[in-house]
Amino acid sequence: MIKKFIERVFGPKKARKPTAAKERIFAQAEHGIRREELSNAAISVCEGLHRAGYKAFVVGGAVRDLLLGRHPKDYDVATDATPEQVRSVFRRARIIGRRFKLVHVMFRDETVEVSTFRANHPAVDADEKDGRADEHGRLLRDNVYGNQAEDAIRRDFTMNALFYDPESEEVWDYVNGFADIKKQRVVMIGDPTARYREDPVRMLRAARLAAKLGFMIDPATEAPIVELAPLLDNVPTARLFDEMLKLLFSGHALNGIEKLRSLGLHAGILPVLDALFNDPAAKAFVVLALQRTDERIAQDKGVSPPFLFAALFWWPMVQRWRALEAKGVRSLQAMHESMDDVLDIQRKTLAVPRRLDPLIKELWLAQPRFAHRSQKQAFRTLTHPRFRASYDFYALRAEADDADKEIAAWWERFQFADPQTQESMLLPDDEPKTKKRRRRKRKADEGGGEVAMNSAEAPGTEGAS
Ligand code: ATP
Ligand code: MG
């Protein structure tokens, strides 16, 4: 009774908060970050806030990356100024966010995200988890601004809670993050179980950052994950998708996927991985696709989410397609049904946006066309706007022994050959002229028809479901 009354007045009992030790301050000679390594925009934002009388530090992943000699992807600044105060300091700045206001400050083509020091507040995190931005959440939000020490301990891992002041060139550490970075360890701030419960996405972040940085996850930070992994089911799928995109395009996708699997985190997001990794041929293809993605990122080349998703879901799609064909569904129709089914199934766990569907399907639909190399068909394939991506997909399959290597080599030559050579490379027309002949041919192809692939290029039928 009394407990209920107290809860009504003061809110539910709060999870035990981690407490910050006194900060340690590292001078430039100790941490070694050179000011010139930072982006001008990040320095300008800190300087602008300092001039206006506020505290301002570069914080989070950027400090971690700089300490590791890596180039930060983007910069976050933390300050004691409120979002409105931050906005008034800069010419090009806008407040974003509903639950937590942040300020985006623009300098030329760079955006720096500025957040006000904040304290951890489980009730607000719970709201965030449900994706509810109601009055309640907003009211609480005003109460969660905190001081710098509180801002440090509301962060996820110790390596992500360091503050760098470009003016004094000091690194401020409240959570022993500096030492953990030196030890290459992912260590949760506070009680790992409680922090994962507050926000289960932190489990994915642990896996992703460990893979990206080549760090080990501290045993106490890793231990609760196996048991808590199912909590990801309660996270809005759109947020899981964002986090998976970060993992897949971190430049360490293969490591990341392996880490997810070893921690049992993939079950609620990409359950298809089990089937893929249990089938040697399917695994070879997926591993190659992930490696290529990592290589392209290392070389600063563009990467395409539809391409990678097409690769991840290719095997289940082909299996379903074959199964439908075996039931007597015509090949093209079977392929369309299979594509829709597979994309819908995957969408239930990983919210791949529907707008990617046509792009993924386009890559798949193009695959059988590479077998046809007559005058009419070869040029139709070659002049298709998405030829390059479709061909890359075919070449990847060939490399993984899932498509005909000779055909892949033919297309590699054909696309760059001069018109005369191209002409000489063409094969006889393999498309029947009359409906009658087409029908006959389809029968002969055992349900092949227009989209038939020869059996040598069709993947096996076990494993990936
Ligand atoms: P990346 O290199 O991928 O950008 P990051 O650590 O910078 O890694 P961000 O998503 O950019 O990741 O987050 C910036 C900072 O915000 C983190 O370093 C961390 O301090 C804090 N943070 C992000 N997500 C969480 C979370 N779920 N819980 C607590 N703190 C978080
Ligand atoms: Mg970041």
Side-chain angles (χ1 to χ4, degrees), residues 370-386:
F370 288 103
H372 306 288
R373 292 169 284 166
S374 68
Q375 166 104 30
K376 193 166 143 212
Q377 289 158 309
F379 286 108
R380 202 162 58 194
T381 300
L382 186 62
T383 52
H384 192 280
R386 303 266 298 157

Side-chain angles (χ1 to χ4, degrees), residues 116-189:
T116 305
F117 292 147
R118 203 167 106 189
N120 193 24
H121 196 303
V124 175
D125 282 348
D127 264 5
E128 193 172 27
K129 191 176 67 196
D130 294 346
R132 269 189 281 126
D134 52 16
E135 304 318 288
H136 195 48
R138 255 176 236 125
L139 265 178
L140 283 166
R141 189 193 57 217
D142 291 336
N143 297 331
V144 298
Y145 291 139
N147 59 30
Q148 190 180 348
E150 287 169 320
D151 191 73
I153 57 171
R154 63 101 183 162
R155 293 175 184 277
D156 47 8
F157 306 111
T158 60
M159 63 181 179
N160 284 344
L162 298 173
F163 299 83
Y164 173 78
D165 179 346
E167 204 158 282
S168 66
E169 297 190 71
E170 288 167 348
V171 168
W172 291 45
D173 181 3
Y174 292 85
V175 292
N176 208 29
F178 190 82
D180 288 334
I181 289 180
K182 296 289 166 221
K183 281 192 260 175
Q184 309 209 315
R185 292 225 163 179
V186 178
V187 182
M188 181 64 88
I189 298 170

Side-chain angles (χ1 to χ4, degrees), residues 59-62 64-65 73-74 76 113 118 125 154-157 159-161 195 199 201-202 205 208-209 212 239 243 246:
V59 69
R64 176 197 72 214
D65 289 348
K73 198 162 46 101
D74 44 38
D76 296 312
E113 196 165 284
R118 203 167 106 189
D125 282 348
R154 63 101 183 162
R155 293 175 184 277
D156 47 8
F157 306 111
M159 63 181 179
N160 284 344
R195 304 297 317 276
D199 181 6
V201 169
R202 289 171 186 153
R205 287 179 53 85
R208 171 169 70 85
L209 292 169
K212 165 174 158 165
R239 195 159 168 230
E243 195 54 37
K246 284 195 193 172

Side-chain angles (χ1 to χ4, degrees), residues 303-453:
V303 284
S304 131
F307 189 95
L308 191 53
F309 291 120
L312 284 171
F313 307 147
W314 168 249
W315 277 69
M317 193 287 288
V318 172
Q319 281 199 319
R320 217 171 173 85
W321 175 20
R322 296 280 172 249
L324 287 167
E325 276 183 336
K327 281 192 201 156
V329 184
R330 281 194 28 212
S331 190
L332 187 58
Q333 193 195 336
M335 189 180 188
H336 275 284
E337 272 179 37
S338 170
M339 293 194 298
D340 285 333
D341 289 350
V342 165
L343 290 173
D344 283 343
I345 291 168
Q346 301 304 328
R347 204 177 335 273
K348 291 205 180 91
T349 47
L350 183 65
V352 179
R354 271 179 206 286
R355 67 188 156 73
L356 299 190
D357 285 11
L359 302 168
I360 296 171
K361 288 181 182 179
E362 203 169 36
L363 287 167
W364 286 342
L365 282 164
Q367 295 309 300
R369 294 193 200 118
F370 288 103
H372 306 288
R373 292 169 284 166
S374 68
Q375 166 104 30
K376 193 166 143 212
Q377 289 158 309
F379 286 108
R380 202 162 58 194
T381 300
L382 186 62
T383 52
H384 192 280
R386 303 266 298 157
F387 167 78
R388 191 66 223 183
S390 316
Y391 167 72
D392 285 345
F393 196 89
Y394 190 87
L396 196 70
R397 290 179 50 218
E399 202 179 332
D401 279 328
D402 174 44
D404 193 316
K405 285 193 162 64
E406 187 266 322
I407 296 181
W410 186 95
W411 281 100
E412 182 64 39
R413 283 200 313 279
F414 184 71
Q415 60 186 303
F416 299 114
D418 58 67
Q420 217 177 349
T421 315
Q422 278 182 335
E423 202 65 34
S424 73
M425 290 176 73
L426 295 167
L427 302 186
D429 197 347
D430 61 357
E431 206 158 53
K433 298 279 183 301
T434 66
K435 275 192 179 164
K436 221 165 147 190
R437 278 181 58 194
R438 190 177 297 180
R439 231 178 281 133
R440 248 199 338 256
K441 174 140 197 321
R442 190 173 297 131
K443 267 201 181 136
D445 275 351
E446 292 178 339
E450 281 179 75
V451 296
M453 301 191 302

